[in-house]
């Protein structure tokens, strides 16, 4: 998605350790107009698969996922990292390991929100090691629902997540793919420049 | 906002201890079409104040706040409960006490995202004791920005937050005001039935 690549090139910042900071438009500050167009783009890619639910993980996946769900006209389910007081239901659970934070967290989704009739589109802001996406996939499997695909705003193509998910047969659409952050320079993987 | 009241009446659930569970359309599962109309409603109420930023708190404020920011054509700033690795900037900080969880958490916003030229609209999903909103107000004050108002999806009018914020001179617009949850019945405050 050309507009997104231009935004990343203009406002993204590379921090030591290969961390890409895009918090002026994607997570800490959010550009709602860009999120709307990202939602439209995901809808173009996945509408023909007739998804019934979008699934994301709190909190920075919510903005692009909400706009995708809006465009598709289906509900958004937000997997929780922490069980709120109001969540008294039976839940699906999965473990998500964060390599950057060196910790494992449980993510949970109420059983009442996903079931065997659902066709689930997972949306997330970043794909690096793929652990968050794999955790969400596990929840979709526990629910007996169909996985129709995974939409990612920014994929770090030099990390393992994309390969891992694609090797399991999932359709992964990343609107921006970063080939390298070496030397503090953002290099995009060429193929995504097509759209 | 009549549609919201009808949704709360139809799908809201009262849990012991006066907790209103609306996680089928507002937080755990989110109805994006309803969020869009909530965003439009906030825009009608606050557009004339010429806000430059919407401020909310992760994670359940994000959905209504994103749609309000979209309608107003301005950025959304998401106050963080936890500092992410990418957040290396100087930050504004405020303490937020949760009476329900009996804990105090710090919320933070990068100094680069709010400044003295900003006119800030705070949006949140719930208003009960007002502690989260007061924490955000404190951050707006630290930034030297102008507070133009506070938009709330559901106000528990039988708790102190609304009175506290209004007594400080802030314009608080709540799209649904709950007068009572006594005996497990959801009673709305009458005046909001007008719209």
């Amino acid at each position: 998605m050309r507009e997104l690549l231009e935004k990343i090139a203009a406002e993204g910042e590379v921090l030591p350790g290969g961390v890409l900071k895009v918090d002026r438009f994607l997570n800490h500050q959010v550009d709602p107009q860009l999120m709307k167009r990202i939602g439209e783009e995901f809808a173009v890619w996945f509408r023909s698969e007739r998804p019934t639910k979008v699934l994301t993980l709190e909190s920075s996946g919510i903005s692009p996922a909400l706009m995708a769900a809006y465009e598709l006209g289906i509900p958004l389910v937000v997997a929780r990292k922490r069980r709120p007081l109001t969540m008294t239901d039976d839940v699906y659970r999965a473990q998500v390991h964060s390599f950057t934070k060196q910790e494992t967290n449980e993510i949970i989704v109420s059983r009442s929100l996903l079931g065997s009739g659902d066709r689930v589109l997972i949306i997330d802001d970043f794909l690096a090691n793929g652990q968050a996406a794999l955790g969400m996939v596990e929840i979709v499997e526990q629910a007996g629902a169909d996985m129709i695909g995974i939409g990612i705003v920014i994929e770090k193509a030099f990390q393992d997540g994309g390969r891992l998910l694609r090797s399991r047969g999932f359709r992964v659409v990343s609107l921006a793919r970063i080939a390298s952050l070496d030397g503090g320079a953002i290099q995009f993987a060429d193929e995504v420049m097509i759209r």
Side-chain angles (χ1 to χ4, degrees), chain A:
Chain A
M1 189 182 173
R2 184 170 297 274
E3 178 188 5
L4 176 63
L5 302 194
E6 287 169 358
K7 194 91 170 176
I8 295 167
E11 300 191 19
E13 203 181 317
V14 183
L15 302 183
V19 174
L20 178 63
K21 178 173 170 172
V22 286
D23 68 1
R24 293 196 70 82
F25 60 91
L26 186 56
N27 35 51
H28 188 20
Q29 179 166 267
V30 180
D31 177 339
Q33 269 63 31
L34 176 62
M35 291 306 124
K36 179 71 156 44
R37 290 185 289 272
I38 283 173
E40 289 164 2
E41 187 76 10
F42 283 134
V44 167
W45 282 98
F46 291 108
R47 182 173 281 123
S48 63
E49 296 290 334
R50 296 170 288 107
T52 63
K53 297 266 167 106
V54 171
L55 175 64
T56 192
L57 181 58
E58 63 182 353
S59 72
S60 55
I62 296 175
S63 296
L66 179 69
M67 288 302 193
Y70 176 76
E71 290 301 318
L72 291 163
I74 58 179
L76 167 66
V77 175
V78 182
R80 300 285 203 173
K81 290 179 179 163
R82 222 180 128 166
R83 184 191 280 254
L85 284 180
T86 50
M87 199 158 163
T88 49
D89 323 3
D90 277 347
V91 294
Y92 306 114
R93 301 159 188 276
Q95 305 296 319
V96 171
H97 182 70
S98 166
F99 287 100
T100 41
K101 293 179 194 154
Q102 282 299 327
E103 60 183 34
T104 298
N105 287 299
E106 195 172 59
I107 65 171
I108 57 180
V109 170
S110 167
R111 284 178 181 266
S112 66
L113 297 183
L114 283 182
S116 59
D118 280 315
R119 297 173 58 79
V120 180
L121 169 60
I122 290 173
I123 300 277
D124 210 354
D125 58 338
F126 265 98
L127 172 62
N129 293 295
Q131 299 302 301
L134 284 170
M136 287 190 271
V137 165
E138 199 183 317
I139 281 174
V140 173
E141 289 172 346
Q142 284 175 31
D146 289 333
M147 271 289 307
I148 68 121
I150 300 171
I152 298 293
V153 181
I154 301 177
E155 176 182 347
K156 289 174 160 178
F158 57 92
Q159 290 187 255
D160 266 352
R163 192 188 49 73
L164 213 61
L165 293 169
R166 291 179 179 104
S167 75
R168 290 200 39 195
F170 300 126
R171 185 176 176 211
V172 181
V173 172
S174 302
L175 303 186
R177 297 185 71 226
I178 311 279
S180 157
L181 296 171
D182 290 350
I186 303 169
Q187 299 281 344
F188 294 103
D190 286 336
E191 64 262 45
V192 286
M193 299 299 287
I194 298 163
R195 285 190 65 103

